[in-house]
Amino acid sequence: MSYVDEVIELVTKKNADQPEFLQAVKEVLESLRPVVDANEELYRKEAILERITEPDRQIMFRVPWVDDQGQVQVNRGFRVQFNNAIGPYKGGLRLHPSVNLGIIKFLGFEQIFKNSLTSLPIGGGKGGSDFDPKGKSDREIMAFCQSFMTELAKYIGADMDVPAGDIGTGAREIGYMFGQYKKIKGIYEGVLTGKGLSYGGSLARTEATGYGLLYLTQEMLKCNGMDMKDKIVCISGSGNVAIYATQKAQQLGAKVVTVSDSTGWVYDSEGIDVALLKEVKEVKRARLTEYAAARPSAEYHEGRGVWSITCDIALPCATQNELLLEDAKQLVENGCKAVAEGANMPTTLEATEYLQKNGVLFAPGKAANAGGVATSALEMSQNSERLSWSFEEVDSKLQGIMVNIFHNLDAAAKRYGKEGDYVAGANIAGFEKVVEAMMAQGVV
Ligand code: NDP
Ligand code: 2IT
């Protein structure tokens, strides 16, 4: 049996109850075959694949907090520190009722390669909780965040592990967590990114994931003889990534006609009104029905359906496994030319394969959404030098990083005879750097 098959079997046996983690491992290892085959003896001896698929440590803890009725609530907190071969663990904190260890592990595993692709010195980690922020008062959010950080503070630090936002964790939550870290540790340091601008945050971090997604998409289109101008774009989600992806797509001359949330989706024939979307989602924290009610050109539909709309470019920006094989078929039938993942693993393995086989350009999340974490690393740099850079400076570095990521993965794919397979290219380019660092540092 080949080394890749052996390790997939081993990981499957050890993590049978973690489907998302297994999905992520299979996708990565399958596409690393050419690299692993070329180095099989060495990698086997060094147990590189066993080591890279087993987190350095997985921390799980109780998060007790008191709700507005005086009732004690208990959630489960997680931090998976996956691999720190190239830098301190870095990755977001997801607050969503669906969170479990397998989901945090899949996200942490993806983060290793994503962070490597940024070319910045950051390792892979992820955390979060099954806490549901929806419908909670500000005081309840603060109570949860303080309790969560009371335990998490033992395991993180500016040179050790630097968490950030993800689904359900935005500037408000990061603020409460930062305050509690500072109170417990008595240290004012860049232990979290995505901070507010008044206490060490970076300009352009809020926009970075969505903007970065468009910078990479634009470069991918350019290298394939296309551009964003006048393209019809379907976006899913209506959170941080979706909002700023919509904004940048429109700045580049495209028309974004859909957004969604977990209950429904909007088709807006005039193009999404970003100011209204921000008002509904960032200020009122309301549902998309409010967007549709305020906008005559918008139709609201319950359930899923974003991918049924005819588009040139599809940008899934909500959550994992939200673009299925049937959606991929519909997109191809409707003439979609490119899919780039703003979310982490939003496209199933079968859907990805179908899109690639049918000539759709496909940029995987670990490359396409890396602008968020890359800008987090720029926030860490600014915190270290106790300076802050202008929006233009950060944004231009972000553009450079995204263009560079695309060319690195394109070159890696070509080097292994897989031209145009950007999934393989991203995994190979991300993996090569981490493995080199792991080998140099010995068996640790
Ligand atoms: P937000 O919490 O800001 O927004 C998430 C959006 O996705 C909301 O519209 C939400 O709808 C929807 N959504 C979440 N879960 C589900 C679900 N199970 N089914 C349907 N819709 C869902 O999160 P972000 O925008 O920050 O994150 C979106 C994706 O991007 C995630 O995959 C995240 O891991 C990834 N990502 C985020 C980065 C960042 O910097 N923020 C960086 C790189 C990747 P509702 O409000 O109804 O729950
Ligand atoms: O998935 C991700 O890359 C993020 N949620 C951002 C992580 C970060 O550290 O900014």
Side-chain angles (χ1 to χ4, degrees):
M1 203 191 274
S2 79
Y3 183 36
V4 163
D5 289 322
E6 227 172 76
V7 174
I8 289 180
E9 198 177 295
L10 177 81
V11 174
T12 306
K13 210 179 280 174
K14 283 172 108 174
N15 305 278
D17 57 343
Q18 298 176 349
E20 293 85 1
F21 177 57
L22 293 179
Q23 182 182 340
V25 168
K26 277 182 196 153
E27 186 232 78
V28 170
L29 295 197
E30 288 289 353
S31 69
L32 290 177
R33 275 184 201 280
V35 190
V36 176
D37 289 351
N39 298 279
E40 176 143 357
E41 205 178 322
L42 178 64
Y43 286 0
R44 223 185 241 281
K45 184 159 176 286
E46 295 287 332
I48 289 296
L49 297 184
E50 289 89 336
R51 284 159 66 193
I52 212 164
T53 52
E54 186 69 25
D56 288 358
R57 65 194 63 77
Q58 314 176 47
I59 302 148
M60 285 172 61
F61 49 96
R62 181 177 67 242
V63 188
W65 56 280
V66 182
D67 73 15
D68 285 347
Q69 283 69 50
Q71 174 66 46
V72 176
Q73 300 287 343
V74 179
N75 286 102
R76 183 173 281 179
F78 302 87
R79 187 71 184 167
V80 172
Q81 298 178 332
F82 223 116
N83 185 301
N84 66 353
I86 62 174
Y89 306 106
K90 183 86 197 83
L93 296 170
R94 177 172 293 190
L95 301 183
H96 194 272
S98 63
V99 163
N100 57 39
L101 183 60
I103 287 183
I104 299 299
K105 277 176 68 183
F106 117 64
L107 291 162
F109 183 70
E110 288 282 292
Q111 202 83 43
I112 304 170
F113 307 98
K114 182 196 303 192
N115 293 2
S116 167
L117 281 172
T118 66
S119 76
L120 300 168
I122 38 179
K126 198 85 185 190
S129 172
D130 58 3
F131 173 75
D132 185 359
K134 278 201 195 81
K136 302 291 190 296
S137 69
D138 265 0
R139 195 211 59 81
E140 288 175 322
I141 297 283
M142 182 168 74
F144 169 82
C145 290
Q146 290 181 340
S147 179
F148 181 78
M149 183 51 84
T150 299
E151 185 62 23
L152 186 67
K154 296 171 187 165
Y155 310 102
I156 61 176
D159 293 314
M160 190 189 298
D161 182 355
V162 182
D166 193 77
I167 291 178
T169 306
R172 175 180 57 168
E173 292 72 23
I174 292 292
Y176 292 144
M177 289 182 196
F178 185 78
Q180 185 72 353
Y181 180 87
K182 193 185 62 170
K183 183 175 170 89
I184 292 172
K185 296 278 204 156
I187 305 172
Y188 205 107
E189 62 172 357
V191 67
L192 293 163
T193 58
K195 299 185 292 298
L197 297 178
S198 56
Y199 61 95
S202 173
L203 284 161
R205 174 63 187 90
T206 305
E207 294 83 356
T209 311
Y211 278 24
L213 171 65
L214 267 297
Y215 295 146
L216 185 129
T217 303
Q218 184 177 237
E219 193 62 19
M220 175 173 78
L221 291 176
K222 191 172 121 193
C223 292
N224 287 278
M226 290 179 264
D227 63 27
M228 288 299 299
K229 185 114 187 50
D230 298 326
K231 296 292 182 297
I232 301 293
V233 180
C234 280
I235 288 185
S236 64
S238 50
N240 173 265
V241 181
I243 290 171
Y244 293 95
T246 302
Q247 186 166 66
K248 184 51 76 179
Q250 293 182 347
Q251 285 172 11
L252 296 173
K255 184 174 178 182
V256 178
V257 292
T258 65
V259 285
S260 67
D261 63 21
S262 55
T263 44
W265 58 286
V266 158
Y267 170 67
D268 190 334
S269 56
E270 296 286 301
I272 296 293
D273 177 340
V274 178
L276 175 61
L277 184 63
K278 283 188 185 177
E279 174 69 19
V280 170
K281 286 292 171 185
E282 293 184 339
V283 182
K284 295 187 181 161
R285 298 181 188 274
R287 312 306 301 163
L288 281 175
T289 40
E290 288 211 17
Y291 175 95
R295 181 96 169 144
S297 55
E299 296 166 10
Y300 178 79
H301 302 267
E302 290 283 332
R304 44 196 314 283
V306 160
W307 315 123
S308 64
I309 299 295
T310 298
C311 65
D312 301 302
I313 296 161
L315 304 175
C317 295
T319 192
Q320 66 273 3
N321 293 331
E322 50 152 323
L323 200 163
L324 314 175
L325 180 58
E326 71 216 47
D327 303 317
K329 288 182 177 166
Q330 179 95 65
L331 287 168
V332 169
E333 203 179 308
N334 290 345
C336 176
K337 295 167 191 71
V339 174
E341 298 184 318
N344 285 306
M345 208 171 73
T347 316
T348 62
L349 287 173
E350 305 77 51
T352 304
E353 233 167 66
Y354 186 87
L355 291 167
Q356 288 184 311
K357 277 199 182 126
N358 286 278
V360 177
L361 302 174
F362 185 88
K366 62 173 71 69
N369 71 38
V373 75
T375 307
S376 278
L378 301 179
E379 183 173 330
M380 290 166 71
S381 300
Q382 293 169 76
N383 292 165
S384 296
E385 63 175 17
R386 298 187 194 285
L387 289 174
S388 44
W389 308 337
S390 68
F391 187 95
E392 290 68 28
E393 193 172 352
V394 179
D395 188 41
S396 103
K397 284 190 163 67
L398 171 63
Q399 286 187 49
I401 290 167
M402 299 313 293
V403 167
N404 188 40
I405 290 176
F406 179 76
H407 289 287
N408 279 345
L409 65 85
D410 189 35
K414 285 178 179 150
R415 211 162 50 242
Y416 284 91
K418 293 191 161 257
E419 182 162 0
D421 182 348
Y422 303 137
V423 173
N427 288 332
I428 292 169
F431 176 77
E432 282 181 333
K433 180 176 174 190
V434 176
V435 168
E436 192 183 324
M438 284 171 69
M439 301 267 235
Q441 293 171 34
V443 180
V444 290

